[in-house]
Amino acid sequence: MSTYCHTSKKYILYFFQNRLVCIIILLIMGCCSNFQGQNIDTLNTSWFKKILNSENKYNNDWNFEEEDDFRLDQKKHPSLKNEFDLGALLYIENKISRGNLESIKAPFNRYNSAQIGIKKYIKTIESPKKYFNFQLGLGTTFHHLNLGKNEAIVLDDTITFFKSSKEIRKNFMRFHYLTVPLKLNFKPLPSKKKTFQIGASIQYHLLVNGKYELKFKELNNSKKISTLGKLHHQNHFISSRIQLSYKKIGVYVENGITSISTIFQSPYSLSFGIVLCSYH
């Protein structure tokens, strides 16, 4: 008896379950047909047609089949990217503009002293016709003064030089600067990548460190004397530069505008040499 009652309930539940599934399917179909009808009505409304027209209008504006206009906007004009320069280095009594190129009293080998610079230009602003551009860069500069046979004693308030009797192997002063160049370039043929270019720049140099190093041989033993510090050089100085370049090579002349040393009488740096260029 208990089994029969259980079977009766099972079939009753099965009957209502089938009917419930059919009702749910009918409701879903009705909702779908209603939703489709609403979409058709919506598409026929005037405001939705305006939206479609506006979208088509914007799509036409972004039509990349018009290749001429797109290429014209994307055309790039070559501009200077990197510079590496190597040149002779002198310390002189005055600026070039005053016509006095006499060397200062500090003894160093002018034929073996050098300036080395590496610069990267990070911002370029071009004129409308591309003949001129203004560039901002960042780089580093090294001043290497070869003292030859003249040994130096660096004190707190002065530097003393004297002829050394040691068997000298290396004897130099080296200064490392952080350099920020502001450069104006003129290009007669701006559309050509490998072109003649004239550059004029003002460069700010911030002293990072200085070093005096003397290596010599004594009694068959190698010895070394090294002094680190500013070595009586200014914390910063400013220089001006003229540069002529063609393709990837050029020449430059650079002269200090402000004094570079704190103990010598009005010394200014003077450097001239070659520069290697790369372009965007």
Side-chain angles (χ1 to χ4, degrees):
M1 188 69 165
S2 60
T3 303
Y4 176 78
C5 290
H6 180 74
T7 303
S8 300
K9 291 179 180 179
K10 177 180 178 181
Y11 281 105
I12 292 171
L13 292 174
Y14 181 76
F15 175 81
F16 282 108
Q17 183 179 359
N18 288 337
R19 297 299 181 273
L20 182 61
V21 170
C22 293
I23 293 171
I24 291 173
I25 292 174
L26 291 173
L27 288 174
I28 292 173
M29 293 176 63
C31 290
C32 290
S33 61
N34 187 29
F35 180 74
Q36 184 178 4
Q38 288 181 356
N39 284 340
I40 293 172
D41 293 338
T42 304
L43 292 172
N44 291 329
T45 56
S46 59
W47 63 271
F48 193 80
K49 290 180 179 179
K50 291 180 179 179
I51 293 176
L52 290 176
N53 290 334
S54 63
E55 289 181 354
N56 290 331
K57 180 179 178 181
Y58 290 123
N59 289 335
N60 290 333
D61 291 340
W62 287 90
N63 186 5
F64 290 98
E65 292 181 358
E66 299 175 1
E67 295 181 356
D68 294 338
D69 294 338
F70 180 74
R71 289 178 181 175
L72 181 62
D73 293 338
Q74 295 296 319
K75 187 176 181 181
K76 289 185 177 181
H77 293 267
S79 59
L80 191 63
K81 182 180 180 182
N82 300 308
E83 282 182 345
F84 172 78
D85 54 75
L86 174 63
L89 176 65
L90 300 174
Y91 281 5
I92 58 177
E93 290 277 354
N94 220 323
K95 306 174 189 177
I96 290 180
S97 59
R98 296 182 183 177
N100 185 358
L101 300 182
E102 184 179 353
S103 299
I104 62 174
K105 302 301 181 183
F108 62 89
N109 186 344
R110 68 179 61 190
Y111 302 106
N112 202 18
S113 297
Q115 174 176 296
I116 302 171
I118 302 172
K119 302 177 188 69
K120 181 178 182 64
Y121 291 93
I122 56 179
K123 183 65 176 178
T124 301
I125 301 174
E126 294 196 291
S127 63
K129 294 186 178 181
K130 313 299 182 182
Y131 286 99
F132 293 92
N133 66 38
F134 177 79
Q135 292 187 298
L136 171 65
L138 187 64
T140 185
T141 302
F142 294 92
H143 282 183
H144 181 91
L145 296 174
N146 190 336
L147 300 180
K149 296 293 183 179
N150 299 286
E151 191 174 342
I153 299 176
V154 182
L155 302 177
D156 292 338
D157 56 351
T158 188
I159 298 179
T160 302
F161 297 92
F162 61 93
K163 282 287 184 180
S164 178
S165 59
K166 297 181 175 69
E167 188 179 347
I168 295 177
R169 298 298 178 87
K170 286 186 178 181
N171 186 23
F172 64 85
M173 285 186 176
R174 182 179 296 158
F175 300 91
H176 177 204
Y177 294 92
L178 177 67
T179 303
V180 180
L182 299 174
K183 190 174 185 181
L184 179 65
N185 298 303
F186 169 67
K187 298 179 289 184
L189 301 172
S191 60
K192 292 187 177 181
K193 186 172 183 178
K194 298 179 180 180
T195 183
F196 176 72
Q197 182 170 280
I198 303 172
S201 64
I202 298 294
Q203 305 191 63
Y204 173 79
H205 305 272
L206 176 66
L207 180 62
V208 177
N209 58 54
K211 179 181 181 180
Y212 169 63
E213 184 173 304
L214 171 65
K215 288 184 179 181
F216 60 95
K217 195 171 182 179
E218 188 176 70
L219 300 177
N220 293 325
N221 294 321
S222 296
K223 294 187 178 182
K224 175 181 174 181
I225 298 173
S226 182
T227 303
L228 300 177
K230 296 180 180 178
L231 305 182
H232 303 291
H233 270 55
Q234 301 282 3
N235 291 328
H236 50 81
F237 76 98
I238 300 173
S239 65
S240 60
R241 176 170 172 147
I242 297 294
Q243 179 175 313
L244 306 177
S245 59
Y246 178 69
K247 296 184 178 180
K248 294 185 177 182
I249 193 169
V251 294
Y252 77 92
V253 176
E254 183 176 337
N255 186 212
I257 298 176
T258 60
S259 176
I260 198 170
S261 176
T262 59
I263 58 174
F264 295 108
Q265 183 180 1
S266 301
Y268 297 88
S269 64
L270 172 63
S271 179
F272 50 90
I274 61 173
V275 56
L276 302 178
C277 312
S278 66
Y279 297 84
H280 287 284

